[in-house]
Amino acid sequence: MEKIRARLNIGSKAEPVKLRKRKSQLYSKEETCPLDNGVLGVTVFTVAFRLINCFLVQTSFVPDEYWQSLEIAHLMWTAGIRGFSYPLFFAAIYKILHFFTYDAVQLLVWLPRVVQALLSALADIKLYCLIQSLEHSDVAKWTYLCQLCSWFTWYCCTRTLTNTMETTLTTLALYYYPLPGSKTHSSTKYLILVALAVIVRPTALIVWLPLLVYHFWQEDNKLKLITHLCLPIGALTLGLSTMIDCIFYGKWTLVQYNFLKFNVFHNVAEFYGSHPWHWYFTQGFVVVIGPHLPFFLYGCTLASKRYRIMLITIVWTVMVYRYGLFLLSFSLVNLRTWRRPAACALLVSNLVPALYTGLLHQRGTLDVMGHLQTLCDDRDPSTPPLPEVLFLMPCHSTPFYSHIHCPMKMRFLECPPDLTGDKRYVDEAERFFADPHHWLRTSFPYKSMLPTHLVFFDVLEMELSAFLDRNRFMRSREIFHTHVPEGRVGKSVLVYQRH
């Protein structure tokens, strides 16, 4: 019996089965990504990276980064097509600093951008975690590296743009979106974030429409999704937003309806310029995604079935909504680049435009505000007269009181859109540039009414030379703005002071 037991291994301890180790050629040691495996390390690195990013972006991009956020938070506005929910976020920061008497001008200028940089860092981390839950860890690391290398993300993600906050909320919502195979999905969380994105920027609904339809189509309990999540979350966020807007406007105002009426029905957006239909395919999206484009296109050919909804969303958005910063988040999900040479090429090709656009291109309109702010510091507020500044530039070329924070009188050429349908309507800025001397004579019939300082681009200097000499204006500062002057925007910003 003992011999039989020994032959059949009955009652003896079984030896563990040893499996042959296979070395993956795709994820070999030579191609691993040089990032820490832990999320904590990624978090610390991302926060530090975005803070450096924030302080190395010292240029202006578009007027909206001030005139739809910081300027409203400083003085609030009177139109009814934008909500107060997003500016209220920055107004709260101003109030907190004022309460603790930490309201130095540089702190007031930089802190909103630092907060936005931290939010963008959070979105970067969530994008990394999302890809890590869907793909191999190396894919997540390279996707994360591509996100940090993107010159356009570097250029925009620390700015106080509604587009930037929309992108941040969209990326966070994407983390919780129920993609097939996702381990981080939460319908409640992602719907709340989508609702907040729509409140910040109503056009976010266009972006999320294909994804919402896809979620509804895949959901087993469709009635519960609508009645227990979509309707309550939508009603609550819309109600809170409307209440905030009504308080600040002082009347019943539904911003989302006004936005739709003016920008879609009345097509007011074209008042500020438009592009041909093909521009967003041939230039807009191509510039935004930059050197990532070939890797994105290659990734599209390899995209699995669960990523098709992302590709559909990208095409839909470019066709209907045109393009936006948030498209990078969707595009990076479809990127496929694991090779170190490709990553190095991406880093180098993005580094030059990132540093140039962040440090040099269009910096004069910000630097001039720093110079004008010194006029407040150099004068005793109790000693009249206070400086008076007139900006003879395309409207909203510079920020305003959000970068001055003192009671200095300032005026710029206004360009409100015509909401009456009068084809003969010409705004103040157009009237000035059509005939500068006539506008100046009618606006300032007496010399005593003239401002103490004039700010304008150098392209106007020759045309205004007679007016400047006659009224004893002398150049006090020339500030570099751009290497690529165009139209009414010059290479330098000039400051003239009256003596």
Side-chain angles (χ1 to χ4, degrees):
M1 289 297 294
E2 295 297 329
K3 291 181 179 180
I4 295 173
R5 286 179 179 176
R7 182 171 295 181
L8 297 177
N9 287 328
I10 298 175
S12 64
K13 187 176 180 181
E15 294 183 1
V17 179
K18 295 183 179 180
L19 300 176
R20 181 171 63 91
K21 294 183 179 179
R22 293 186 62 186
K23 185 177 180 180
S24 171
Q25 297 298 319
L26 183 60
Y27 308 115
S28 62
K29 216 173 196 181
E30 291 78 24
E31 301 297 341
T32 55
C33 179
L35 288 176
D36 191 347
N37 289 327
V39 176
L40 179 61
V42 171
T43 301
V44 173
F45 176 78
T46 307
V47 170
F49 182 85
R50 286 303 175 208
L51 288 177
I52 295 172
N53 181 178
C54 175
F55 291 109
L56 287 182
V57 174
Q58 302 170 15
T59 57
S60 61
F61 179 26
V62 289
D64 290 356
E65 63 181 301
Y66 315 112
W67 293 94
Q68 290 186 10
S69 54
L70 301 181
E71 292 303 332
I72 311 164
H74 189 276
L75 276 179
M76 299 302 181
W77 55 16
T78 57
I81 60 174
R82 296 288 183 182
F84 280 100
S85 301
Y86 181 56
L88 190 61
F89 174 68
F90 297 108
I93 295 175
Y94 290 153
K95 277 296 181 184
I96 293 171
L97 291 175
H98 179 71
F99 179 79
F100 290 103
T101 65
Y102 291 122
D103 52 355
V105 173
Q106 290 302 316
L107 186 61
L108 292 169
V109 169
W110 282 101
L111 187 58
R113 291 196 53 195
V114 169
V115 172
Q116 182 60 63
L118 294 176
L119 292 174
S120 295
L122 176 62
D124 294 335
I125 295 164
K126 288 296 185 181
L127 180 65
Y128 167 76
C129 294
L130 170 65
I131 305 301
Q132 192 175 42
S133 71
L134 293 172
E135 298 284 351
H136 191 277
S137 60
D138 278 354
V139 180
K141 292 172 183 177
W142 287 121
T143 304
Y144 168 79
L145 187 63
C146 289
Q147 169 76 350
L148 298 190
C149 285
S150 168
W151 79 270
F152 197 75
T153 302
W154 172 279
Y155 185 53
C156 294
C157 75
T158 63
R159 299 183 184 274
T160 52
L161 281 159
T162 53
N163 306 64
T164 304
M165 183 59 77
E166 177 192 17
T167 301
T168 300
L169 293 171
T170 295
T171 306
L172 295 177
L174 197 62
Y175 175 78
Y176 295 108
Y177 182 76
L179 278 170
S182 173
K183 302 173 185 177
T184 61
H185 64 85
S186 170
S187 296
T188 303
K189 292 180 181 178
Y190 107 80
L191 287 171
I192 290 174
L193 290 166
V194 169
L196 291 175
V198 173
I199 294 302
V200 170
R201 192 172 175 82
T203 47
L205 185 60
I206 298 175
V207 181
W208 277 95
L209 191 59
L211 293 165
L212 293 171
V213 171
Y214 178 78
H215 181 199
F216 178 78
W217 183 261
Q218 296 293 324
E219 183 65 31
D220 294 329
N221 195 338
K222 294 179 174 57
L223 181 62
K224 183 179 178 181
L225 176 65
I226 297 296
T227 58
H228 286 59
L229 292 177
C230 294
L231 289 179
I233 291 173
L236 181 61
T237 52
L238 182 61
L240 286 174
S241 171
T242 303
M243 182 178 67
I244 291 171
D245 294 333
C246 290
I247 290 173
F248 284 101
Y249 281 119
K251 60 181 180 179
W252 175 258
T253 304
L254 188 59
V255 168
Q256 289 72 24
Y257 169 73
N258 291 338
F259 183 88
L260 183 69
K261 181 175 70 173
F262 292 127
N263 287 287
V264 179
F265 299 151
H266 293 173
N267 207 18
V268 171
E270 285 197 358
F271 177 82
Y272 296 101
S274 60
H275 295 292
W277 66 270
H278 60 81
W279 186 88
Y280 300 93
F281 291 96
T282 59
Q283 299 178 55
F285 180 69
V286 174
V287 170
V288 169
I289 197 168
H292 294 86
L293 182 61
F295 302 102
F296 166 72
L297 294 176
Y298 178 62
C300 291
T301 64
L302 301 178
S304 59
K305 186 176 179 180
R306 64 180 171 185
Y307 294 132
R308 288 177 187 171
I309 184 58
M310 295 295 182
L311 297 177
I312 292 171
T313 302
I314 292 170
V315 174
W316 160 265
T317 305
V318 174
M319 290 179 61
V320 178
Y321 182 37
R322 308 307 167 92
Y323 78 95
L325 176 60
F326 50 82
L327 283 180
L328 282 172
S329 300
F330 292 106
S331 302
L332 288 171
V333 173
N334 293 283
L335 273 172
R336 292 292 185 274
T337 171
W338 299 300
R339 305 294 176 181
R340 182 174 284 111
C344 293
L346 281 176
L347 179 60
V348 173
S349 59
N350 279 280
L351 182 63
V352 174
L355 292 178
Y356 176 75
T357 56
L359 292 173
L360 292 174
H361 182 58
Q362 296 185 169
R363 70 170 297 141
T365 51
L366 276 183
D367 290 344
V368 73
M369 301 309 292
H371 169 68
L372 295 177
Q373 205 282 324
T374 60
L375 300 179
C376 294
D377 296 338
D378 295 341
R379 298 180 70 95
D380 183 356
S382 62
T383 306
L386 285 172
E388 296 182 25
V389 182
L390 173 62
F391 294 87
L392 299 176
M393 314 168 84
C395 66
H396 303 131
S397 292
T398 66
F400 218 47
Y401 283 105
S402 66
H403 283 58
I404 297 294
H405 293 284
C406 82
M408 180 170 60
K409 292 182 180 180
M410 297 193 296
R411 179 186 173 187
F412 64 94
L413 301 174
E414 297 188 5
C415 56
D418 174 36
L419 304 180
T420 63
D422 185 0
K423 295 182 179 180
R424 297 172 298 176
Y425 172 77
V426 180
D427 63 67
E428 185 181 35
E430 288 298 326
R431 292 198 305 272
F432 168 77
F433 285 106
D435 190 345
H437 289 280
H438 175 74
W439 186 89
L440 288 167
R441 282 196 306 269
T442 55
S443 300
F444 305 100
Y446 304 104
K447 287 188 177 182
S448 59
M449 299 174 64
L450 287 169
T452 60
H453 293 76
L454 295 177
V455 180
F456 51 88
F457 286 113
D458 55 358
V459 292
L460 273 178
E461 188 173 31
M462 288 297 295
E463 190 168 2
L464 296 179
S465 59
F467 170 83
L468 298 172
D469 293 338
R470 186 170 60 251
N471 293 284
R472 302 177 63 191
F473 279 98
M474 298 182 65
R475 185 195 292 187
S476 62
R477 183 64 64 93
E478 179 178 2
I479 300 171
F480 169 78
H481 181 62
T482 179
H483 291 107
V484 191
E486 182 181 4
R488 297 169 179 172
V489 177
K491 185 178 180 180
S492 302
V493 177
L494 305 180
V495 180
Y496 270 75
Q497 183 175 356
R498 190 180 178 210
H499 294 275

